[in-house]
Amino acid sequence: MTEFQTVIGLEFHAELKTKTKIFCSCPTTFAGEPNTHVCPVCLGLPGVLPVLNKRAVELAMKAGLALNCQISPFSKFDRKNYFYPDLPKAYQVTQYPLPICKSGYITVPDADGNEKNIRINRIHLEEDAGKLVHSGESITTSNYSLPDYNRAAVPLIEIVSEPDMASAEEAKAFGDKLKLILEYAGVSDVKMEQGSLRCDVNISLMPKGSDKLGTKVEIKNLNSFRAMHRAIQFEEDRQRRMIERGEKIVQETRTWDEGSGQTLSMRSKENDHDYRYFPEPDLVPTVITPEWIEAVRSELPELPDKREKRLKEECGLSYYDCAQIVATPALAFFFDEVAKIFDDKKTIANWLIGDVSRLINVAEKEYEQIPIAADDLAYLLEQAKSGAINNNSAKAVLEEMFASGKKPAEIISERGFAQISDSSALEEAVKAVIEANAKAAEDFRAGKQQAMGFLMGQVMKATKGQANPNLVKELLAKMLK
Amino acid sequence: MSIYDMTINQLQQQLNDKNISSYELTKKYLARIEEIDPVIHAYITVTPEAALEAAKASDERRARGELIGDLDGIPMALKDIFCTDGILTTCASKILANFVPPYNATCWQRLADVGAVLLGKCNLDEFAMGSSTENSAYFATRNPFDIERTPGGSSGGSAAAVAADLAAYTLGTDTGGSVRQPAHYCGVVGIKPTYGLISRFGIIPYASSLDQAGVFAKNVYDCATVLEAVSGHDEKDSTSTPYPIGDYRGACQRDVKGMKIGMPKEFFEEGIDPRTIEIVKKAAEKFAAAGAEVIEVSLPHTKYALPAYYVLACAEASSNLARYDGVRYGVRVDKPTLEEIFCATRSAGFGEEVKRRILLGTYALSSGYYDAYYNKTLQVRTLIKEDYDKVFASGIDCLLTPVTPGPAFKLGEMLDDPLTMYMTDVCTVPINIAGLASMVVPFADIEGLPVGVQLIGAPFSEEKLFTAASAVEVPRRLPPDILKQAVEKGVER
Amino acid sequence: MAITVNDVEYVAKLAKLTIADEEMDGYIKKLSAILDYMQQLQEIDTNGVPLTTHVLPLENIFRKDEVKPCLPREKVLANAPDTEDGYFKVPKIF
Ligand SMILES: [Zn+2]
């Protein structure tokens, strides 16, 4: 039997993190009452004109740089013409022949764990459509629809990969990596559940070893990477069976139905499109100089691949620790902040992965909202390291920092966690213990090392556990000489 | 001298001398509209309350000595293609029969800011597609010089309103000649400035890369006064230029002596009425007599401008007019499904000419035809523009040409032959294609019908145009008895 | 160049226009005349000629990313043929 090879290309739409829409000054804030974040421009009223948001251009450039793309020195906008009630002007302003970024790639692990580059064909800037609320269960059963244009003209980038992926796993790895990079770059919120990151799949099958691509099918309505993974597996199977039965694959758009776990053909009406692209006369070209590119590049933080390498090499962290930190940009950025003040990176990593993460989870917070300041954590770790407080106290302090928002120094003094590390204050206590336990002191002098443990315990007891144990040991040794 | 004969400056003098208030002046214009407009049909909407209120506010400013400028308190009108906040804006289409914009077009806002008194909104060919105003969904406007004839189009209502003294000045738009051709037919001054000089924000688009607002006035100086007020960069229009506004009124006083006036030979070839050619030659003689140098030049791609115009304009229009889908505004034709609403609303809401141009434009952009039509035309556009660049680079200050082949034609004469109607734009469309400045001034007449001449300048050379126009214009007044007879006879709408 | 009934029906469908049977002949006749006229553009050799999409040499016209007030919702919906609960309203699509 013929073995088949799956060929997958992905298209992502990411909403850009600008304050305002791409061509008007309405806010991009998610949610809000319907049709309250709109103006004549994004409503497409007669006579209005678009003016391009500079920040949207820069965020698209940032995405391009983060994804190893070439930034086009000359790009322009085009109109894509079609009628749909969520599209106020009956055309979408997008970029067709001259997108802002071209030819990039992302590195992902392949099936054998080797690094594989998945190429990116292009990234273009465009406007989002509005949202339709349907009266019934779904678009097919509803009697009427309710357009809300709050989302209309929110800036989007469309990222189009080359058909370089061979499995659902690779597609998912690409998606995960892309999402992470965009998040690091600060380009998009990349929240699939809120629709700020959306994904379409193009998939075809061809006999293994062939270089002739099969008929491709597009899958839409994928609300998560899990859905994407399932949809690809379903579609691989469906297409293989069809080919094996000698049936012809139809080039079409299919929709993923989460409930039944299948892809379903969309009405053919939505398939035959002649978009009549032409240059948008209301906007002028964008010319990007090398200086502008460098200015934008300088805004980029360290990206995941490089960061993971650095944490491994410079900080001596394990692969597992690195991956944990790098997978959460907010945590990674927090790590960097703490590391600026406190230089034991291994300790920072342990605390972040351990107690800090645990407390964030307990508080049901996002990593973006870590409720403690980096310099406060650095202070706390410093206190623990110097022995000013012991490890258990440090954990308790951290907990209270999360709960009350108080400064660590304040908590340490209020709760009396400070260890007595002043030798003159301890000398008296040590002296008193030696006098009261003459027998044990004798034993120690006679060479019984166990006596030291007993004497130390007595000192700790006398100081209610606040004595710095290292110092106590030192003092005992000195006085018993 | 009647107040209707007065220029903007003369009216200001009257207002300052307290011979009349803006309120009274506005009332007079409104009364004249009531009397005359049933014959001319220049207005789709008249706004007496708002006009009188604005006039009153102007009078109060004048009394306080806080007058804003030369247009403060002067009654005027707008083509019904400029969006006016709170005032019906139909674009002479049934599909926008009930559309009340919540915003002002920038150029109207600029006039309102300097105290202009808006009398109402003038008729046009639906969505500015036409050359006679016969394509208005409401009624055809009549030429005040002969009510059996067209005032031209698409800004026919705005031109007729100035010619018939139904407004002191008006604004129109010009995509392929829609200001200049009606100015010529109605014996008034009309300017289509350089693309980008006046903001397009709030002007309902026909063809975005060609559309430009323009001014109708009684004479060149008034035209300069208004142009100074409406021009200049607008941050709401990406294609509006940061080019500084010129001293157009100052330019009206300058001498044409030493200016080089080009006569492009391609504008005097077949199809142009020999009487029109004679008139333009007389204008050339007038320039020469005033000390300008008249030189024959050549613009070899001229004949391709008209077919290029129809490809470009229709392609852009097919996209610009797609938004009229009955979802968010406008007149919806109810049907059980939205797909049916789209088709029914647009089929019933647009007139035949509009539908024809949408079909043409859709065809030119559709897959398989895009390269042969649209891309080819963008290349031809380059060639046409280069013709003009070369001529102006050779030292020519402005060009002198006919405006249309002949004077105003009879209503109904070309309705069944769109192509012949399109041909009347042959001398005006190249200017929009190349993004130049152009102006029409009345100069003579043929059998009692006004005939103007067209002056064409390089981009942003409006000052030169005003200098040349002032030297050549022969201001034209409507003989008073013509309209009187028409009013007495009465005309059916 | 002859435009066919199929062509007209195809572009009418794209443009969401309905052409009644009795109008079809008129459209074909007039559209064909205009398309014939446009054909003369093909006479010109435009090999290597750049495209002019804008007559003005403008580039990089941008807006600052600053929020300005939106349109009050009653104005947003004021011109709408049909609304419900702050939404526009349309019947089912197909
Ligand atoms: Zn907006």
Side-chain angles (χ1 to χ4, degrees):
Chain A
M1 196 182 278
T2 328
E3 275 208 62
F4 289 101
Q5 184 178 332
T6 308
V7 178
I8 301 165
L10 298 177
E11 287 173 21
F12 285 88
H13 285 91
E15 283 182 353
L16 296 177
K17 247 163 112 172
T18 52
K19 289 195 199 76
T20 63
K21 294 185 177 183
I22 184 165
F23 300 126
C24 66
S25 305
C26 292
T28 51
T29 336
F30 183 69
E33 286 286 296
N35 296 305
T36 53
H37 293 171
V38 294
C39 70
V41 176
C42 53
L43 262 182
L45 293 187
V48 298
L49 295 169
V51 184
L52 182 57
N53 181 343
K54 188 175 187 186
R55 194 62 195 151
V57 174
E58 292 182 336
L59 290 181
M61 287 164 72
K62 251 178 137 170
L65 292 169
L67 298 171
N68 309 301
C69 290
Q70 292 164 11
I71 308 299
S72 308
F74 183 94
S75 55
K76 67 175 184 63
F77 286 91
D78 301 276
R79 292 187 185 176
K80 177 181 182 180
N81 296 284
Y82 65 96
F83 287 83
Y84 209 69
D86 64 2
L87 196 62
K89 301 183 292 294
Y91 57 80
Q92 181 194 27
V93 178
T94 178
Q95 299 185 311
Y96 191 48
L98 297 172
I100 187 162
C101 311
K102 284 183 291 199
S103 321
Y105 65 88
I106 293 180
T107 310
V108 298
D110 69 5
D112 308 319
N114 297 318
E115 285 193 343
K116 175 175 177 179
N117 283 352
I118 309 290
R119 291 168 304 156
I120 289 165
N121 176 289
R122 59 189 271 151
I123 301 176
H124 63 253
L125 247 180
E126 61 185 23
E127 57 181 340
D128 206 345
K131 267 185 185 158
L132 297 182
V133 175
H134 300 291
S135 61
E137 287 289 297
S138 76
I139 184 162
T140 41
T141 58
S142 67
N143 283 322
Y144 60 89
S145 301
L146 301 170
D148 167 14
Y149 298 104
N150 283 350
R151 201 183 65 181
V154 165
L156 288 181
I157 44 174
E158 180 172 337
I159 302 162
V160 183
S161 87
E162 296 288 356
D164 283 356
M165 285 150 282
S167 66
E169 286 68 33
E170 277 183 21
K172 175 149 189 323
F174 180 86
D176 285 338
K177 192 65 166 285
L178 177 85
K179 181 173 185 286
L180 190 61
I181 292 173
L182 293 181
E183 209 178 340
Y184 267 99
V187 162
S188 171
D189 277 335
V190 291
K191 293 204 167 80
M192 285 193 95
E193 64 283 10
Q194 288 183 4
S196 58
L197 184 69
R198 283 164 257 162
C199 173
D200 300 332
V201 170
N202 284 301
I203 174 168
S204 64
L205 257 53
M206 62 181 184
K208 218 162 204 158
S210 164
D211 55 0
K212 200 171 160 286
L213 291 173
T215 306
K216 80 175 175 191
V217 165
E218 186 177 11
I219 312 172
K220 287 187 181 288
N221 194 34
L222 301 166
N223 298 321
S224 65
F225 287 143
R226 191 174 155 270
M228 179 182 86
H229 193 271
R230 289 177 66 199
I232 290 173
Q233 287 184 328
F234 175 87
E235 192 60 23
E236 273 178 324
D237 206 45
R238 187 186 73 91
Q239 292 187 20
R240 185 184 312 107
R241 284 166 197 243
M242 281 182 75
I243 297 168
E244 284 167 358
R245 284 199 300 266
E247 291 171 37
K248 215 169 135 59
I249 310 277
V250 192
Q251 177 159 358
E252 61 174 348
T253 301
R254 300 177 70 84
T255 182
W256 171 248
D257 186 70
E258 187 73 43
S260 66
Q262 312 176 54
T263 66
L264 305 170
S265 182
M266 286 170 87
R267 282 164 170 260
S268 62
K269 268 184 185 171
E270 293 182 37
N271 282 324
D272 56 6
H273 276 319
D274 179 346
Y275 291 122
R276 290 155 287 135
Y277 288 96
F278 75 103
E280 163 60 292
D282 291 333
L283 289 166
V284 301
T286 303
V287 173
I288 300 174
T289 59
E291 293 75 37
W292 193 9
I293 293 175
E294 288 320 306
V296 170
R297 196 194 301 276
S298 71
E299 285 182 26
L300 276 178
E302 188 180 32
L303 295 170
D305 283 350
K306 212 173 151 198
R307 184 178 291 266
E308 204 172 300
K309 215 169 148 204
R310 174 176 63 91
L311 291 184
K312 241 181 272 175
E313 286 173 4
E314 290 180 15
C315 312
L317 300 190
S318 70
Y319 172 81
Y320 178 78
D321 290 352
C322 288
Q324 281 231 61
I325 291 177
V326 173
T328 311
L331 198 61
F333 295 142
F334 193 74
F335 175 93
D336 285 351
E337 289 303 304
V338 180
K340 275 184 201 161
I341 313 167
F342 179 72
D343 67 1
D344 180 351
K345 296 191 173 96
K346 182 111 182 96
T347 301
I348 301 172
N350 287 336
W351 275 76
L352 289 186
I353 297 165
D355 287 82
V356 171
S357 290
R358 181 178 58 81
L359 288 168
I360 287 172
N361 287 333
V362 168
E364 291 179 346
K365 294 222 188 261
E366 302 286 329
Y367 279 98
E368 286 76 14
Q369 318 159 330
I370 298 177
I372 59 172
D375 52 355
D376 287 343
L377 181 64
Y379 175 84
L380 179 65
L381 299 188
E382 189 66 58
Q383 295 308 303
K385 192 182 182 188
S386 71
I389 59 175
N390 67 37
N391 226 33
N392 285 336
S393 303
K395 289 184 181 199
V397 172
L398 184 71
E399 244 170 78
E400 192 163 339
M401 283 163 71
F402 264 78
S404 69
K406 282 185 185 164
K407 292 270 174 200
E410 199 183 341
I411 299 167
I412 291 169
S413 93
E414 273 177 14
R415 306 255 312 250
F417 282 145
Q419 297 187 84
I420 302 170
S421 298
D422 177 351
S423 48
S424 62
L426 274 183
E427 260 171 41
E428 213 148 302
V430 173
K431 215 183 204 170
V433 167
I434 292 172
E435 278 167 15
N437 298 282
K439 173 84 175 57
E442 270 319 307
D443 288 351
F444 180 77
R445 286 198 186 95
K448 278 194 182 168
Q449 289 298 318
Q450 303 95 308
M452 176 57 107
F454 173 78
L455 290 169
M456 273 190 72
Q458 294 304 305
V459 177
M460 294 312 279
K461 201 172 160 192
T463 57
K464 299 195 180 80
Q466 286 174 32
N468 180 333
N470 289 334
L471 193 56
V472 173
K473 199 172 176 186
E474 214 173 278
L475 287 173
L476 277 172
K478 198 170 95 190
M479 288 186 195
L480 292 174
K481 240 179 217 164
Chain B
M1 195 188 203
S2 135
I3 54 141
Y4 303 117
D5 295 322
M6 292 181 185
T7 63
I8 292 169
N9 275 357
Q10 288 166 332
L11 286 173
Q12 281 297 349
Q13 195 61 52
Q14 293 293 312
L15 292 166
N16 281 334
D17 293 349
K18 298 199 170 62
N19 291 336
I20 193 167
S21 66
S22 173
Y23 187 83
E24 289 157 354
L25 180 64
T26 303
K27 275 212 123 150
K28 273 183 179 273
Y29 267 105
L30 289 169
R32 187 172 166 87
I33 291 168
E34 202 166 320
E35 184 197 359
I36 307 280
D37 204 46
V39 175
I40 301 297
H41 304 312
Y43 283 89
I44 291 178
T45 304
V46 183
T47 53
E49 293 84 8
L52 290 170
E53 205 175 296
K56 222 165 159 183
S58 171
D59 285 335
E60 285 162 15
R61 280 194 296 275
R62 197 177 299 269
R64 292 196 305 267
E66 290 169 2
L67 210 61
I68 306 171
D70 293 326
L71 297 174
D72 202 341
I74 309 289
M76 49 71 68
L78 297 169
K79 186 180 186 178
D80 203 18
I81 199 169
F82 293 89
C83 286
T84 41
D85 193 350
I87 299 169
L88 186 69
T89 300
T90 69
C91 223
S93 182
K94 276 194 266 177
I95 214 161
L96 289 179
N98 57 3
F99 177 62
V100 179
Y103 51 96
N104 279 332
T106 296
C107 48
W108 158 236
Q109 185 65 54
R110 286 185 179 169
L111 289 173
D113 289 346
V114 295
V117 174
L118 178 68
L119 295 167
K121 310 288 293 288
C122 295
N123 197 21
L124 63 147
D125 287 294
E126 183 179 5
F127 286 103
M129 296 181 187
S131 308
S132 67
T133 72
E134 289 164 292
N135 294 333
S136 166
Y138 301 104
F139 39 75
T141 300
R142 309 287 176 140
N143 190 318
F145 285 83
D146 176 355
I147 58 166
E148 299 303 318
R149 288 177 189 268
T150 175
S154 65
S155 313
S158 296
V162 174
D165 298 323
L166 303 176
Y169 67 91
T170 58
L171 296 190
T173 60
D174 187 316
T175 306
S178 285
V179 164
R180 291 160 290 157
Q181 181 250 30
H184 157 76
Y185 285 170
C186 292
V188 298
V189 173
I191 188 165
K192 182 216 88 76
T194 309
Y195 183 83
L197 188 74
I198 303 177
S199 167
R200 290 186 296 116
F201 184 85
I203 301 174
I204 299 179
Y206 159 22
S208 312
S209 81
L210 303 162
D211 292 345
Q212 178 61 199
V215 180
F216 292 98
K218 285 197 184 77
N219 67 12
V220 171
Y221 194 87
D222 277 5
C223 186
T225 306
V226 179
L227 187 63
E228 285 178 19
V230 296
S231 298
H233 180 66
D234 176 15
E235 58 180 26
K236 291 181 191 160
D237 176 0
S238 310
T239 62
S240 110
T241 62
Y243 201 88
I245 303 167
D247 176 13
Y248 308 130
R249 281 180 285 184
C252 292
Q253 321 288 353
R254 287 174 212 150
D255 200 339
V256 287
K257 206 168 164 185
M259 271 181 91
K260 287 187 177 167
I261 310 288
M263 303 264 283
K265 62 178 200 260
E266 291 79 5
F267 281 71
F268 297 87
E269 285 170 358
E270 49 167 331
I272 309 291
D273 187 332
R275 295 172 297 177
T276 306
I277 294 182
E278 269 323 295
I279 287 170
V280 181
K281 284 187 173 159
K282 285 243 164 61
E285 284 164 23
K286 191 173 177 183
F287 274 121
E293 192 185 342
V294 179
I295 303 159
E296 192 189 77
V297 297
S298 173
L299 298 160
H301 294 93
T302 297
K303 77 163 192 168
Y304 300 109
L306 196 58
Y309 169 80
Y310 278 95
V311 174
L312 282 180
C314 293
E316 292 181 19
S318 72
S319 173
N320 283 334
L321 273 65
R323 70 187 63 189
Y324 307 107
D325 58 6
V327 175
R328 291 158 302 279
Y329 48 83
V331 178
R332 173 192 290 187
V333 176
D334 268 315
K335 290 281 169 189
T337 69
L338 184 60
E339 192 66 17
E340 292 167 279
I341 285 182
F342 284 161
C343 291
T345 295
R346 294 167 59 77
S347 300
F350 292 138
E352 190 187 327
E353 182 64 28
V354 172
K355 284 190 258 190
R356 184 157 46 235
R357 294 195 196 190
I358 291 174
L359 292 173
L360 269 174
T362 307
Y363 183 76
L365 291 175
S366 64
S367 71
Y369 297 101
Y370 183 85
D371 286 334
Y373 285 99
Y374 193 75
N375 261 350
K376 179 88 183 178
T377 304
L378 293 183
Q379 292 178 305
V380 173
R381 189 173 195 179
T382 306
L383 296 174
I384 294 168
K385 191 171 178 298
E386 284 172 357
D387 281 356
Y388 284 90
D389 289 347
K390 272 180 217 154
V391 163
F392 290 120
S394 76
I396 295 291
D397 292 300
C398 74
L399 300 168
L400 172 67
T401 74
V403 189
T404 65
F409 53 88
K410 286 215 159 117
L411 289 167
E413 195 179 316
M414 300 195 198
L415 266 187
D416 232 26
D417 187 358
L419 194 54
T420 309
M421 176 96 84
Y422 293 178
M423 295 293 189
T424 65
D425 297 336
V426 70
C427 300
T428 49
V429 293
I431 284 61
N432 303 73
I433 297 275
L436 309 170
S438 176
M439 193 164 181
V440 163
V441 292
F443 184 70
D445 65 49
I446 293 175
E447 292 169 5
L449 297 172
V451 172
V453 294
Q454 176 172 240
L455 298 162
I456 303 162
F460 305 107
S461 68
E462 277 79 4
E463 286 192 14
K464 282 182 186 173
L465 283 188
F466 277 105
T467 303
S470 299
V472 79
E473 75 169 328
V474 179
R476 179 76 202 221
R477 295 294 300 151
L478 186 68
D481 41 327
I482 289 191
L483 273 182
K484 219 168 156 193
Q485 287 165 13
V487 170
E488 277 159 14
K489 230 172 82 192
V491 172
E492 293 290 310
R493 273 207 170 191
Chain C
M1 189 171 142
I3 188 166
T4 63
V5 174
N6 275 350
D7 291 336
V8 175
E9 280 175 348
Y10 175 72
V11 291
K13 201 175 138 210
L14 285 176
K16 304 286 182 213
L17 291 171
T18 314
I19 309 289
D21 289 346
E22 63 274 19
E23 296 173 318
M24 188 54 91
D25 273 356
Y27 272 106
I28 297 254
K29 211 176 106 217
K30 289 173 182 172
L31 290 173
S32 295
I34 300 163
L35 286 168
D36 274 343
Y37 182 63
M38 289 174 174
Q39 268 311 101
Q40 61 177 304
L41 292 172
Q42 308 306 326
E43 293 168 10
I44 319 173
D45 178 8
T46 51
N47 226 330
V49 175
L51 311 179
T52 295
T53 49
H54 289 90
V55 282
L56 291 174
L58 290 174
E59 59 191 38
N60 290 3
I61 304 293
F62 299 122
R63 191 173 53 73
K64 274 194 198 145
D65 189 22
E66 287 169 2
V67 175
K68 287 185 185 162
C70 299
L71 196 63
R73 189 159 71 183
E74 58 285 6
K75 287 196 175 186
V76 170
L77 300 174
N79 281 296
D82 197 6
T83 63
E84 185 175 299
D85 298 336
Y87 292 93
F88 294 89
K89 187 177 179 185
V90 295
K92 65 178 183 229
I93 295 168
F94 298 108

